[in-house]
Amino acid sequence: MAVGLAAAALPVNLLAKEKEEEEEVSTNEDLMREHGILKRVLLCYDEVIRRIRARQDFPPQTVTDGATIIRKFIEDYHEKLEENHLFPRFRKAGKLTDLVDVLYTQHQAGRRVTDRVLSAVASLKSQDDRNRLADDLAAFNRMYAPHEAREDTVLFPELHKVVSPHEYDSLGEQFEKIERQTFGGDGFDIYRDKVEAIEKQLGIYDLAQFTPK
Ligand SMILES: [Fe+2]
Ligand SMILES: [Fe+2]
């Protein structure tokens, strides 16, 4: 009762400010907005694929930068969260184990494709080189669009059945801590800015251009 009265006495805008400073992001929201960054890199890859197939130019740096986001933010961070904190809990609970096996295998396959993309883009000499790069980017997109959609709609919702509400909350806090340690700040903000810069270079940042007339 006393706490309620104290809170009621605080100006509304001050309460809102305090809430903003805490900015608690739940476990699934955290993972899903990381998928949003992944999706935006896939869209950059799509634009590069389109240009290669149309024999148009593109800045190779956009591919290097995109693949570097994938490496540092998705493969070495986001997927590690899934592999170290989610997959073992599903395996232990005996839930969605076939799906978890496929997701894990795809992480490893994705890393091999990213290795190839990074080395290919560093030595693009002929149209054959560009076509091979387009094939790798396309294979990456073909796998990751359904991969992340399956996690969003099947794996993550099921997490609520595998862990208690308390464990779910503390997982989110753990993820925040790992994120700060890994990136020295809010990795999501850092990498959202990076993907935005690539979109601007490729001319796909302006959202309104995609609205059908
Ligand atoms: Fe995954
Ligand atoms: Fe994921």
Side-chain angles (χ1 to χ4, degrees), residues 203-213:
I204 58 168
Y205 175 72
D206 173 30
L207 195 56
Q209 70 184 304
F210 302 120
T211 313
K213 298 256 180 327

Side-chain angles (χ1 to χ4, degrees), residues 120-169:
V121 78
S123 60
L124 285 178
K125 290 190 185 82
S126 62
Q127 184 63 27
D128 273 355
D129 293 341
R130 288 153 58 95
N131 288 340
R132 265 193 297 274
L133 174 65
D135 287 347
D136 271 330
L137 296 176
F140 192 86
N141 286 8
R142 187 72 185 90
M143 178 175 81
Y144 268 109
H147 179 105
E148 66 169 317
R150 205 63 67 94
E151 289 180 339
D152 286 345
T153 58
V154 180
L155 190 81
F156 300 163
E158 192 76 10
L159 182 61
H160 292 286
K161 295 183 191 150
V162 171
V163 300
S164 69
H166 173 75
E167 198 179 353
Y168 181 84
D169 287 345

Side-chain angles (χ1 to χ4, degrees), residues 42-77:
L42 300 187
L43 292 167
C44 292
Y45 281 0
D46 272 339
E47 173 61 13
V48 171
I49 295 164
R50 188 192 67 74
R51 291 202 201 173
I52 291 174
R53 303 228 155 116
R55 300 198 170 229
Q56 291 171 6
D57 239 5
F58 67 94
Q61 191 63 37
T62 56
V63 176
T64 308
D65 292 348
T68 303
I69 294 176
I70 295 296
R71 171 101 329 147
K72 291 188 175 165
F73 189 64
I74 299 301
E75 294 170 354
D76 290 350
Y77 169 66

Side-chain angles (χ1 to χ4, degrees), residues 4-44:
L5 282 174
L10 282 171
V12 173
N13 59 352
L14 191 64
L15 281 174
K17 194 167 175 282
E18 266 182 19
K19 214 172 170 198
E20 199 182 302
E21 276 168 10
E22 282 172 14
E23 202 205 324
E24 280 212 6
V25 181
S26 76
T27 307
N28 283 356
E29 182 187 353
D30 197 41
L31 293 165
M32 288 169 84
R33 63 187 202 166
E34 288 161 12
H35 279 177
I37 304 276
L38 168 60
K39 179 70 189 176
R40 289 174 71 167
V41 177
L42 300 187
L43 292 167
C44 292

Side-chain angles (χ1 to χ4, degrees), residues 35 78-79 82 87 103 107 144 147 151:
H35 279 177
H78 171 86
E79 291 181 350
E82 293 174 344
F87 295 173
L103 294 170
H107 289 176
Y144 268 109
H147 179 105
E151 289 180 339

